[in-house]
């Protein structure tokens, strides 16, 4: 499955300045692993020491936070859009 | 109607109106709670009042003391208004890229504005406020992101008002900023009816803020963590600037002149209903966190949509 991954500004320098890249996988976890394989510099921004996603990073599948879907096991479909965003407050 | 002792007595008890004309499913109702009706113009009046009153009660805020807070605008405006009435000096750390009206309103209430770089967004303003607060232990720093009185304002105010006016509620949708509204109202509604679904809406700020140098500068509000937000919420959705503007415009069809964050919330509600994720008979309560007045300069209602969207991507509207 090939999906589009939208990167936040903070990660773009690790992906040749691109704001969107392609990644492969059947689940969000596989997509994240493929992203890190292609662009190893993104690992420090994405991965927590326990192998999960960093607590200050939110991963969205078609604009829905995967923490409220099936987390890293959330299945993806061909053409889906994954967005990675750092946690930012408002108010 | 009674003659109120103070404008502060007008905070809360905001009206709810039916906005079902915007629902893509005629069997699902939408209601909108109009927080722009608060005297300071936004839902943040509630948190501002609760935080100040609780601090006066417990003695952490003393007469004549300086109040310092970081804000993207609305909390600052609320605190500035109350501070002016109660005789406190108020300083606010404000990102440079908020709408001009937010800045003007802070000036109306006599706030002393400390600018922070727009590229750092709200997170940067908060970090700067923390440093200032540490340097000035004699100032009172409410820290809206981790102040239990913020959540309490909604558990004791907004939540019970919604339950009183609309006990049929099945879904509650609001913007995620400090997490105060979502945690307070969400918990209250679930305490009344476990089946109520609570959904958070947020803009894709992280794609726009380029001053975030390290992911550890990311920030999850203590209000969210302390109230176990991950379990309390049933979903969390991004709404992008284009849809936010489009729905800010559509809101006028039902007579609602609200801010861009409210457009985002309505866009989220309509998406959820349109995807069939609210069963027939459902009632979706949305929060319109402020009125449209503070965004007129963005041309949100009248400008060419591409230009307005590009402008919205450069300002903080949550």
């Amino acid at each position: 499955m090939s999906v589009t991954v939208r990167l936040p500004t903070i990660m773009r320098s690790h992906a040749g300045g691109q704001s969107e890249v392609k990644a492969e996988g059947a689940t969000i976890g596989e997509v994240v692993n493929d992203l890190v394989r292609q662009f190893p510099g993104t690992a420090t921004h994405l991965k927590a020491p326990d192998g999960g996603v960093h607590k200050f990073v939110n991963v969205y599948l078609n604009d829905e936070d995967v923490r409220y879907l099936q987390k890293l096991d959330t299945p993806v479909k061909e053409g889906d859009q994954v967005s990675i965003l750092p946690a930012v407050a408002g108010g | 109607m009674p003659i109120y002792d103070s404008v502060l007595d007008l905070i809360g008890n905001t009206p709810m109106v039916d906005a079902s004309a915007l629902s893509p499913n005629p069997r699902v109702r939408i209601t909108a709670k109009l927080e722009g009706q608060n005297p300071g113009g936004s839902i943040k009046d509630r948190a501002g009042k609760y935080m100040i009153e609780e601090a006066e009660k417990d003695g952490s805020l003393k007469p004549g003391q300086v109040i310092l807070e970081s804000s993207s605008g609305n909390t600052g405006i609320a605190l500035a208004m109350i501070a002016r009435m109660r005789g406190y000096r108020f300083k606010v750390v404000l990102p440079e890229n908020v709408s001009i009206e937010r800045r003007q309103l802070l000036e109306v209430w006599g706030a002393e504005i400390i600018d922070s770089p727009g590229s750092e967004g709200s997170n940067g303003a908060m970090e700067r406020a923390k440093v200032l607060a540490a340097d000035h232990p004699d100032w009172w720093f409410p820290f809206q992101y981790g102040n239990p009185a913020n959540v309490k304002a909604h558990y004791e105010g907004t939540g019970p008002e919604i339950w009183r006016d609309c006990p049929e509620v099945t879904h509650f949708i609001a913007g995620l900023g400090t997490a105060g509204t979502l945690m307070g109202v969400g918990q209250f509604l679930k305490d009344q009816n476990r089946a109520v679904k609570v959904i958070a809406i947020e803009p894709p700020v992280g794609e726009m803020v380029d001053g975030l140098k390290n992911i550890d500068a990311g920030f999850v509000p203590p209000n969210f963590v302390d109230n176990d937000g991950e379990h309390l919420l049933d979903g969390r959705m991004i709404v992008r600037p284009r849809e936010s503007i489009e729905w800010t415009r559509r809101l006028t069809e039902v007579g609602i002149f609200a801010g861009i964050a409210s457009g985002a919330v309505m866009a989220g509600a309509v998406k959820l209903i349109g995807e069939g994720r609210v069963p027939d008979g459902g009632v979706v309560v949305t929060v319109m966190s402020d009125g449209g007045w503070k965004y007129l300069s963005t041309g949100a209602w009248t400008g060419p949509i591409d230009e307005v969207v590009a402008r919205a991507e450069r300002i903080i509207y949550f």
Side-chain angles (χ1 to χ4, degrees):
Chain A
M1 240 72 71
S2 175
V3 302
T4 304
V5 182
R6 288 175 75 135
L7 300 175
T9 318
I10 190 172
M11 284 185 199
R12 291 176 192 163
S13 61
H14 303 293
Q18 300 173 88
S19 58
E20 271 189 16
V21 297
K22 293 279 181 198
E24 302 279 331
T27 63
I28 289 289
E30 289 178 21
V31 168
V32 168
N33 287 338
D34 186 46
L35 187 74
V36 169
R37 186 189 57 75
Q38 293 182 66
F39 309 106
T42 59
T44 53
H45 291 312
L46 265 175
K47 294 277 193 168
D50 67 0
V53 170
H54 199 294
K55 67 175 173 175
F56 291 140
V57 172
N58 299 323
V59 179
Y60 301 81
L61 174 62
N62 301 325
D63 291 348
E64 306 248 359
D65 189 331
V66 300
R67 284 198 181 96
Y68 304 95
L69 301 173
Q70 295 164 57
K71 300 189 169 72
L72 291 176
D73 297 329
T74 306
V76 300
K77 299 189 307 295
E78 183 74 24
D80 275 348
Q81 186 182 70
V82 174
S83 301
I84 297 168
L85 289 174
V88 175
Chain B
M1 272 181 91
I3 294 175
Y4 292 91
D5 291 335
S6 160
V7 157
L8 302 186
D9 296 336
L10 302 177
I11 293 174
N13 265 313
T14 51
M16 215 189 290
V17 296
D18 193 284
S20 302
L22 299 175
S23 176
N25 177 351
R27 292 168 300 280
V28 173
R29 269 180 79 195
I30 302 177
T31 72
K33 191 160 170 66
L34 305 182
E35 291 297 316
Q37 303 283 331
N38 283 297
S42 86
I43 191 165
K44 298 298 185 185
D45 283 6
R46 296 172 182 270
K49 183 180 173 188
Y50 257 71
M51 291 193 296
I52 284 184
E53 289 185 347
E54 295 268 313
E56 285 173 337
K57 255 183 264 169
D58 71 22
S60 50
L61 175 59
K62 294 173 191 67
Q65 207 173 348
V66 172
I67 301 175
L68 167 78
E69 180 62 295
S70 71
S71 171
S72 55
N74 278 334
T75 303
I77 292 164
L79 288 170
M81 175 181 75
I82 302 167
R84 183 166 185 86
M85 293 174 67
R86 299 265 175 107
Y88 301 107
R89 265 179 74 195
F90 177 61
K91 294 172 184 283
V92 60
V93 184
L94 185 76
E96 284 169 328
N97 53 342
V98 300
S99 73
I100 181 71
E101 293 93 334
R102 289 189 178 201
R103 180 175 293 269
Q104 287 170 326
L105 276 161
L106 284 163
E107 288 165 355
V108 164
W109 300 115
E112 296 165 44
I113 298 172
I114 301 163
D115 287 310
S116 71
S119 62
E120 294 178 7
S122 298
N123 289 16
M126 179 191 61
E127 287 306 327
R128 282 162 194 265
K130 277 183 169 172
V131 171
L132 276 171
D135 287 347
H136 297 272
D138 51 321
W139 295 353
W140 179 62
F141 178 42
F143 189 49
Q144 58 169 334
Y145 302 102
N147 188 325
N150 175 359
V151 178
K152 196 174 168 190
H154 299 288
Y155 190 88
E156 293 184 353
T158 326
E161 289 168 28
I162 290 170
W163 188 248
R164 177 194 70 200
D165 297 341
C166 188
E168 320 81 90
V169 54
T170 59
H171 293 70
F172 174 71
I173 307 188
L176 181 64
T178 67
T181 309
L182 279 158
M183 296 300 103
V185 175
Q187 190 62 58
F188 182 84
L189 292 179
K190 288 195 179 224
D191 285 350
Q192 314 312 308
N193 176 3
R194 290 303 305 167
V196 173
K197 301 272 185 248
V198 178
I199 316 283
I201 302 294
E202 58 189 337
V205 180
E207 282 179 3
M208 309 188 265
V209 172
D210 54 14
L212 206 58
K213 297 281 183 267
N214 190 306
I215 211 70
D216 289 316
F219 179 67
V220 179
N223 291 337
F224 186 85
V225 178
D226 297 346
N227 291 282
D228 201 6
E230 205 167 319
H231 289 104
L232 184 64
L233 293 187
D234 296 285
R236 181 167 170 174
M237 295 161 63
I238 298 173
V239 175
R240 294 176 186 280
R242 179 171 295 271
E243 304 161 84
S244 303
I245 300 288
E246 283 169 356
W247 283 92
T248 303
R249 293 180 175 189
R250 294 287 311 271
L251 281 170
T252 61
E253 293 171 23
V254 291
I256 297 176
F257 175 58
I260 301 171
S262 303
V265 165
M266 189 55 74
V270 168
K271 185 176 178 205
L272 209 65
I273 298 168
E275 288 175 354
R277 292 158 66 188
V278 180
D280 286 0
V283 179
V284 179
V285 172
T286 63
V287 172
M288 305 286 104
S289 49
D290 64 3
W293 306 102
K294 291 192 293 283
Y295 310 93
L296 281 170
S297 68
T298 68
W301 293 266
T302 49
I305 188 93
D306 290 335
E307 287 176 26
V308 175
V309 169
R311 220 173 287 142
E313 284 174 354
R314 291 193 300 269
I315 66 158
I316 300 176
Y317 53 83
F318 254 62

